[in-house]
Amino acid sequence: PTPAPTPAPTPAPPAPAGSVLFNGDLSSGNLSAWFMQQCAPDRTKVLRDPLGVDRNVMQMTVHNTDVSPCSPTENPRAQALSPNVIKENTESWFGYSILVPNNFPTTSGAGDDWVSLASIYGAPYNGAGPQTMYLNSSPGVNKFYFRRNGSYGYDTPWSMPLVRGRWVDFVIHSKMSRDPAVGYREQFVNSGSGWNQVQQNGQLRLKMKTLDGSNNGGANFAKVSLYYRKGIMSSASLYFASAKVGTSFAAVAPRSY
């Protein structure tokens, strides 16, 4: 039988102004709003937007040697964490922009060439969290994707082709709950053609546990990162911008376009 067509994404809805709970937009010119975890202080820099948008951005660089003991794991990483402002039984909106440069490495594709980009996470830090954004730049894959953790069999409810050389803006709307009937995740994307709310497993509002044994030890933080499986590339750089956590879409939505 002919498969059913994928439903078209819907426009992002209008939203009240809301308020900002964490502002990591780098308008201060430094990284002071963030808690940084990296192997050397010069791995992450604040620069003007390389594409000419009127804002400061974060350039994050990681080498394959950025591993334990200077990294928390055996895999290379640098990451920037917000304060713990995302609380159980509340809604949160997390907005951020990602620029994958044209020279970002193409990996071999010999394994699961994951690169972790952004997540909502917290104590007890027991493995991957329930909602993490990744990219994979191996030949024939080349995608952004949202993958859940072991609570959902590491499934991939959403993906899109990897975009290089221009900004992609994201907003994640979550209800933080251990109850899969209460917790949910919504995702909005703008890659230059306007905001759209995208389908995740065929749903605009994906009901799920957003707190589980990985991150249910207290309030969570928002995180942007360049964190990848050791050995897939010798080094890489990415850019992040306009990261905020707040109480509405309007409070946190990046304005790259």
Side-chain angles (χ1 to χ4, degrees), residues 19-24 33-34 81-95 119-123 125 174-176 211 215 218-223 243-247 252:
S19 60
V20 175
L21 303 176
F22 165 71
N23 189 343
W34 295 92
L81 283 54
S82 80
N84 296 329
V85 297
I86 301 173
K87 300 177 181 179
E88 187 169 1
N89 297 318
T90 64
E91 295 181 48
S92 67
W93 298 77
F94 174 27
S119 64
I120 296 170
Y121 196 50
Y125 318 114
S174 296
K175 176 70 176 285
M176 303 302 290
L211 292 169
N215 68 327
N220 278 212
F221 50 79
K223 175 176 75 171
K244 295 179 181 178
V245 178
T247 63
V252 305

Side-chain angles (χ1 to χ4, degrees), residues 177-252:
S177 178
R178 306 164 196 242
D179 183 346
V182 175
Y184 61 78
R185 184 183 195 274
E186 298 176 336
Q187 180 169 299
F188 305 84
V189 182
N190 183 0
S191 57
S193 300
W195 283 103
N196 284 298
Q197 184 177 2
V198 298
Q199 301 272 346
Q200 303 168 103
N201 283 354
Q203 304 167 61
L204 290 176
R205 175 169 287 185
L206 179 62
K207 289 285 202 175
M208 59 176 284
K209 291 189 293 186
T210 47
L211 292 169
D212 64 11
S214 67
N215 68 327
N216 64 5
N220 278 212
F221 50 79
K223 175 176 75 171
V224 296
S225 64
L226 177 49
Y227 172 32
Y228 58 86
R229 184 170 68 86
K230 190 176 191 305
I232 65 172
M233 48 194 173
S234 60
S235 66
S237 293
L238 286 173
Y239 298 88
F240 296 96
S242 301
K244 295 179 181 178
V245 178
T247 63
S248 75
F249 179 91
V252 305

